[in-house]
Amino acid sequence: MRHLLCLGAVVTMGCATTASTTRGTDMKLTSTPKAATLLSSPVTDFTAACDAALAKAKAAVAELKALPDGHDEQRLALYDEVTSVLNNMSARAGLAKEVHPDEKFRAACETCEQQLEAYNVELSLDRALYDALAKIDAKKIDAAGAFWLFKTLREFRRAGVDRDEATRAKVKSLNEELVKIGQEFGRNIRDDVRSVSVDPRELEGLPADWLAAHPVKDGKITVTTNTPDYLPVMIYAKSGKVREALWRAYRERAYPKNVEVLKAMLGKRHELATLLGYPTWAAYITETKMVKSADAANDFIEKGRAATEQRAKADMATLLARKQKDVPGATSVEPWEHQFYEDRVKNESYGLDSQALRSYFEYGNVKKGVMDITSTLFGVRYVKVDDAKVWHADVESYDLFEGDTLLGRIHLDMHPRDGKYKHAAQFGLTVGRAGKELPEAVLVCNFPRPGELLQHSEVETFFHEFGHLLHEIFGGRQAFAGLSGVRTEWDFVEVPSMLLQEWPLDATALKTFAKHVKTNEPIPDSLVSQLKAAKEFGVGTDTRRQFFLSAVSLAFHHRAPGFDSTEVLKEVQDKFLPFRREWAPGTHFELGFGHLDGYSAIYYTYQWSTVIAKDLLTEFRKHGMLNGTVATQYRKKVLEPGGSKEAGALVQDFLGRPYSFDAFQAWLDGK
C-alpha cells in the first residue's frame, strides 16, 4: 500500500495536482536528507516546526499575491515553495502519528495535521491566489510547467474556489471535519490490537520457530491480531476453533467505535461532493483518475468479476473437496478455513510444504535480497547510515547512490509494536526538488524480526512496498516539489509496486537471497517449481477478493449515506460468491478496513494497476527478470518522469503501445 501523504480531504492543494517536470534530472545535489531527525526531537520542537512551516507558507502566499503582472516564473516558484513546505510538514506529521512510540507526540502530529489541513483548505478556496496563478501565461513556460499549471487550476475549481462565499465556508468546514474523522477512524484501528488466549495443545500445526517465540504463561499462549501472529495461525493451526476465534477477533477491530465514525466519514464525503456539484463522492474522486468516472470504475470491477468467475468457482470447489476429506458431507468452506485448506491443497496437490518454504525466508536475508536485486536492476547502491537520528531503535536508514551521486535516503521501520500502524505502507518525509532537496521516504511494515521467518506472501509484500519506495526516490528529481516523486494519477500509483512483487516468484531472483535459515543452502529448483505451480492455485479466489474489496469501497461511496455498512458489505459479498472470506454474522470487517480512509472509493486502484503491471511484465519476461537494460528503460520511461505525462503515455513510452487487459486475462486463464 502506498500511503498517500496528502492531507485527509482530496480537495486540498497539497495534493491537488499530479503532473511534474523532468527539468534538473542531471542534479548533483549532495546534501544529506535528515528530515527524520525531527521525529527524534522533543515534541515541543515538532510543534514549533509545524508552526514555522505554516508561517513560511503564509509568507510565500502573501508575496505571491502581491506580485505585479508579468512575474510568471516567480509566481510558479513561490507556489512551489508553498507546496513544498506544506507537503513536507504534512508528510512528517502523517508518518509520526502512525509510528512514533510516544502517544503525546502522536497527538501533536494529529493537531499539526488539522492545522495544515485547515490552511490547505483555506488556500484551495482563496480566490485571490487562484486569480494570481490564473494570470500566468502557459505559453511562456515549458510544457511540463504548463501541464502542472493546468492541473493546479483545475483542482482549485474542483475545490470550489469559484463558488459563493457561503459555499466556500461550508466546504472549508466539511474538509476540516473530514480530517478529524479520518484520524479517528485510523486511530481506532491502529490502537485496537485484539488477542485470544489459547491452550498450547490447540496450536498443533504451527511451526516450531513460531511456537518458540510465544512462551506459555499461566498455561496459555496469547495470540494477537498483529500480522506475524495472525497469518501463521490462519494457515497452519489444525484447530478450527482457534482459527475461527482469531479470525473473528481480527474482524472485530475498531468495533463498535468505528460504527459511527464510518457513518460520519461517508456522510460528510457525500455532503461535500454534492455541495460541489457531483452526485456522489465516487463521482467526485474518480474524475481526475485514469478511470475518469465512477461508472467506468464500476464497469472495470464488473469486468474483473466476470473474468474471475470460472476460476474462482474452480478454486472453491477444490477447497471444498479437500475439506470433505476431513468433514464428510461438508457443503461450504468457512472464511476461517480458506487459508488453511488452500495451504493443504498446495501441499498435497502441488507438493509445496509451506513450512519448509518459510525456512528460506529469514527476515535479514529477504531484506538483503530486496536491496541486492533492486541494486542490480537499477544500477544503484545502498549505504547504511548507522548514526541517523530516527524515531525508534528498530528503524534502519540507508542512503541511495547512483555512482557517487546521492539520490535520497530511505528508512525501514519493519516490525510491530504498540501504537504503530498495523499494515504495510510507504510514507514520504521529504519530496525531492531538483537542485534543492533530495527525497526521503519510509517503509512501514509489520514483519517478523531478524532471525525469524517470513511467509512467502510477506516476501511479496516486502517487494511490493519497496516498489513504492523506489518510485518515490527515482521520481523525486523534478523541478516542482508538489509534483515530484509518486504523483501520477492515483490509480497508477500501485503499478510499480504490483510489478516489483513479481520478482520473488522468479527462480533466478529467488536463488540470490532465499537461503536456508540453518544450512545457508540456496532454495532448490524443485521447491521453486512447486512454489510457482502452487501459486497458480488460488489466483481465482485471491483476485476475486481484490475485486470484491474494490466493489465494497465503491459501493460505500456511490450511494446516498444512511445505510447499514455491514448489510452493504454482505450484499456485495453475496454478489461475489463463491467468494466468502471477509464477513460472517457478528463481524464487522469494514470497520477495520483502513483503506476506506486513504483510498475511499478507489480501492479498485490495486487491480487497475495490476492489469497494467502484468502488461509491463511481458517486457521483462521476454529478456529476463534481472535484465538491467530493460530495467533501465523502465526506470527512465516510467519511474523517473513522475507525473510529467499522463500515466497512459508513460506506459506507451515503455511498451511502444497502449496498455491492454490481455496479459492480465492470460494470467487469470493460467497461460
Side-chain angles (χ1 to χ4, degrees), residues 47-124:
T47 300
C50 187
D51 292 341
L54 280 166
K56 186 174 182 179
K58 289 177 181 179
V61 169
E63 184 179 353
L64 189 162
K65 290 195 288 188
L67 284 173
D69 293 348
H71 290 69
D72 290 356
E73 289 191 7
Q74 193 174 353
R75 278 197 177 88
L76 277 177
L78 284 167
Y79 187 64
D80 179 54
E81 186 66 23
V82 173
T83 303
S84 173
V85 169
L86 295 178
N87 271 343
N88 288 339
M89 196 65 229
S90 173
R92 293 156 196 173
L95 170 69
K97 79 168 185 180
E98 299 290 359
V99 301
H100 203 283
D102 184 355
E103 186 176 359
K104 291 182 179 179
F105 203 110
R106 297 197 300 268
C109 291
E110 291 193 359
T111 299
C112 178
E113 276 195 323
Q114 291 168 14
Q115 293 171 335
L116 291 167
E117 173 65 8
Y119 185 59
N120 262 294
V121 174
E122 181 182 324
L123 288 183
S124 73

Side-chain angles (χ1 to χ4, degrees), residues 217-289:
K217 294 182 180 179
D218 299 324
K220 299 285 187 179
I221 290 177
T222 299
V223 184
T224 73
T225 52
N226 285 331
T227 301
D229 275 9
Y230 179 83
L231 196 57
V233 170
M234 297 309 297
I235 294 172
Y236 300 123
K238 293 183 178 179
S239 169
K241 182 180 74 172
V242 169
R243 280 186 274 109
E244 180 180 358
L246 188 61
W247 183 91
R248 289 184 177 277
Y250 186 88
R251 281 153 183 80
E252 286 299 275
R253 294 172 306 142
Y255 176 80
K257 287 185 177 180
N258 271 352
V259 172
E260 293 304 318
V261 177
L262 180 57
K263 284 182 180 178
M265 181 189 293
L266 297 175
K268 296 297 181 183
R269 282 175 177 165
H270 185 78
E271 186 178 357
L272 177 58
T274 54
L275 183 64
L276 292 170
Y278 297 83
T280 64
W281 178 263
Y284 173 80
I285 196 173
T286 54
E287 183 182 45
T288 55
K289 310 304 180 288

Side-chain angles (χ1 to χ4, degrees), residues 1-11 93-95 97-98 110 113 117 174-190 254 258 261-266 268-269 281 284-285 289 421 423 425 427 490 549 552-554 556-557 589-603 605-606:
M1 172 185 174
R2 156 72 181 161
H3 191 91
L4 294 178
L5 286 170
C6 44
L7 297 173
V10 176
V11 297
L95 170 69
K97 79 168 185 180
E98 299 290 359
E110 291 193 359
E113 276 195 323
E117 173 65 8
L174 286 169
N175 273 288
E176 291 172 356
E177 290 181 78
L178 278 168
V179 171
K180 295 177 183 178
I181 292 167
Q183 289 176 337
E184 185 178 2
F185 187 77
R187 182 171 60 247
N188 289 341
I189 299 170
R190 182 190 69 216
N258 271 352
V261 177
L262 180 57
K263 284 182 180 178
M265 181 189 293
L266 297 175
K268 296 297 181 183
R269 282 175 177 165
W281 178 263
Y284 173 80
I285 196 173
K289 310 304 180 288
Y421 182 78
H423 300 290
F427 292 75
W490 199 335
L549 294 174
V552 170
S553 147
L554 189 65
F556 280 3
H557 293 91
F589 165 77
E590 75 279 12
L591 302 183
F593 186 15
H595 289 77
L596 290 177
D597 176 24
Y599 278 66
S600 69
I602 60 173
Y603 189 88
T605 285
Y606 285 93

Side-chain angles (χ1 to χ4, degrees), residues 466-515:
F466 216 82
H468 286 308
L469 194 69
L470 291 176
H471 195 186
E472 186 73 59
I473 300 299
F474 289 149
R477 297 157 68 86
Q478 317 305 322
F480 301 112
L483 312 173
S484 193
V486 184
R487 278 163 179 80
T488 62
E489 291 96 319
W490 199 335
D491 42 9
F492 187 78
V493 161
E494 296 294 333
V495 169
S497 54
M498 299 305 296
L499 179 61
L500 196 62
Q501 76 177 51
E502 296 282 349
W503 266 255
L505 278 172
D506 178 74
T508 304
L510 273 174
K511 291 174 80 69
T512 67
F513 72 89
K515 313 286 186 181

